[in-house]
Amino acid sequence: MKKVYGVIGDPIEHSLSPVMHNAAFEALGLDAIYLAFRVPPQNVGNAIRGAESLGFGGLNVTVPLKEVAMHFVRPDELSKRIGAINTVNFGATEGKPNAFNTDGIAAVRVLKENVGSLAKKNVLLLGAGGAAKAIAFYLRDEGTSLVILNRTVERARELAARLRPPLGDTEIEWGGLEELPTRIEDADILINATSVGMYPNVEETLVTADLMHGNLVVFDVVYNPVETRLLKEAKKAGVRRRIDGVKMLVYQGAEAFKIWTKISPPIDVMEKAVRERLGSKMKK
Ligand code: ATR
């Protein structure tokens, strides 16, 4: 019988997860379908239990449900520390279903592909919301030196406090966005983990070309549009390594796919499906 998978969130109609996972199912010849379900926060528990009762293969959880869903699942150690999950796996022998957060591992994988080891690298992380939190925990475990800047300084401070103690002799610092011009001078890698620049606010950016140096690596977690204003500014500044958000989206999906099916999905097929939907060419 066809296995059903899905993503819950609100809003959800623009989610790229169905196109990405269905492309993988098709390529692998699996009799499965992935659908998007609009679920408001007050219905998360019922939705997760209902999906389990109906025999779903697995669920993704997206904005704004990643934190509230924690109450209805058994999160693994890392997602517990992050405070958010994005993947639910059914079939636990008893109690609540197991849940994971695959965002951080996806971001680190993308960065390592582009720059190699992240140990001792100076990372300037913009944001302290769900995406930033997941990324920060993984970066800490890679031994990077982290500076976290956020519009709401208190959230940056809280995140830094949760990350401590850092591993080895690396450091974790935090501050407000006004520190950006000075902090960026020492950065090897700039990560935008805020929603700034996301459709429809495509002209927005927290960093302009005049602040960037050519050796910087610029990674934008935002994938819609694929080439954000931030990445355009990086191009203008002569930054060679500019990383868009599509690969991270695909890798977090691939990790979830592996958790559910124990099969490594075809990354190329998933990426192509996403880029086609976003109207951009497949980037090699
Ligand atoms: P997500 O789960 O996608 O990370 P989130 O938890 O709402 O979403 O976090 C959004 C992030 O983008 C936050 O760091 C937010 O800053 P605040 O903590 O100050 O709200 C940041 N952000 C959103 N809009 C912003 C803007 N216009 N300028 C600066 N930062 C912004």
Side-chain angles (χ1 to χ4, degrees):
M1 203 166 72
K2 197 180 277 299
K3 209 64 178 157
V4 180
Y5 296 81
V7 58
I8 57 173
D10 187 13
I12 199 65
E13 53 274 25
H14 297 298
S15 171
L16 292 160
S17 292
V19 81
M20 169 165 85
H21 286 283
N22 286 323
F25 289 145
E26 196 182 335
L28 291 167
L30 297 179
D31 188 17
I33 187 165
Y34 187 110
L35 301 165
F37 300 92
R38 181 161 166 234
V39 174
Q42 66 271 23
N43 289 346
V44 171
N46 285 339
I48 292 174
R49 282 189 293 265
E52 182 164 37
S53 303
L54 291 170
F56 274 38
L59 269 189
N60 280 133
V61 177
T62 190
V63 181
L65 310 176
K66 291 181 183 186
E67 289 89 8
V68 60
M70 298 274 289
H71 301 296
F72 308 101
V73 297
R74 190 171 14 198
D76 72 345
E77 277 312 309
L78 199 56
S79 53
K80 222 185 274 175
R81 277 159 62 211
I82 294 167
I85 57 122
N86 74 342
T87 302
V88 182
N89 194 28
F90 298 120
T93 40
E94 58 183 55
K96 297 173 181 173
N98 293 318
F100 310 86
N101 189 316
T102 65
D103 287 332
I105 195 168
V108 163
R109 191 170 161 194
V110 172
L111 281 171
K112 278 184 164 173
E113 274 179 7
N114 279 275
V115 303
S117 168
L118 298 172
K120 305 263 168 59
K121 287 273 191 312
N122 293 321
V123 173
L124 179 55
L125 180 66
L126 306 181
K133 264 189 228 160
I135 293 170
F137 274 93
Y138 274 88
L139 285 178
R140 191 202 70 152
D141 289 354
E142 292 293 323
T144 64
S145 292
L146 259 183
V147 176
I148 302 165
L149 302 184
N150 195 47
R151 177 178 61 181
T152 311
V153 185
E154 182 54 21
R155 287 184 90 191
R157 191 193 64 75
E158 272 170 30
L159 175 53
R162 287 174 81 158
L163 289 165
R164 290 201 168 98
L167 294 183
D169 56 359
T170 57
E171 291 176 40
I172 297 170
E173 296 178 68
W174 53 271
L177 291 175
E178 69 283 354
E179 292 186 26
L180 220 158
T182 48
R183 295 292 197 172
I184 200 168
E185 288 172 13
D186 300 325
D188 301 309
I189 302 171
L190 170 73
I191 304 176
N192 175 46
T194 74
S195 47
V196 176
M198 191 188 288
Y199 181 84
N201 304 314
V202 298
E203 282 307 317
E204 290 182 1
T205 182
L206 293 177
V207 193
T208 45
D210 53 304
L211 293 176
M212 299 179 193
H213 57 82
N215 293 327
L216 197 64
V217 174
V218 178
F219 174 26
D220 201 339
V221 165
V222 172
Y223 55 77
N224 187 15
V226 175
E227 190 179 30
T228 56
R229 169 84 191 277
L230 175 72
L231 294 178
K232 285 182 183 158
E233 292 289 325
K235 196 178 199 173
K236 216 191 290 176
V239 169
R240 276 171 296 115
R241 290 206 181 276
R242 305 180 304 274
I243 310 168
D244 65 47
V246 173
K247 263 274 164 72
M248 178 175 160
L249 172 76
V250 171
Y251 284 164
Q252 66 75 29
E255 289 297 323
F257 195 103
K258 264 190 269 179
I259 288 169
W260 299 324
T261 64
K262 315 275 183 285
I263 299 170
S264 286
I267 298 285
D268 299 9
V269 170
M270 294 168 84
E271 185 175 352
K272 185 161 172 281
V274 170
R275 287 193 190 277
E276 271 174 15
R277 180 58 66 91
L278 287 169
S280 109
K281 297 234 161 53
M282 179 92 173
K283 215 173 86 182
K284 281 284 165 203

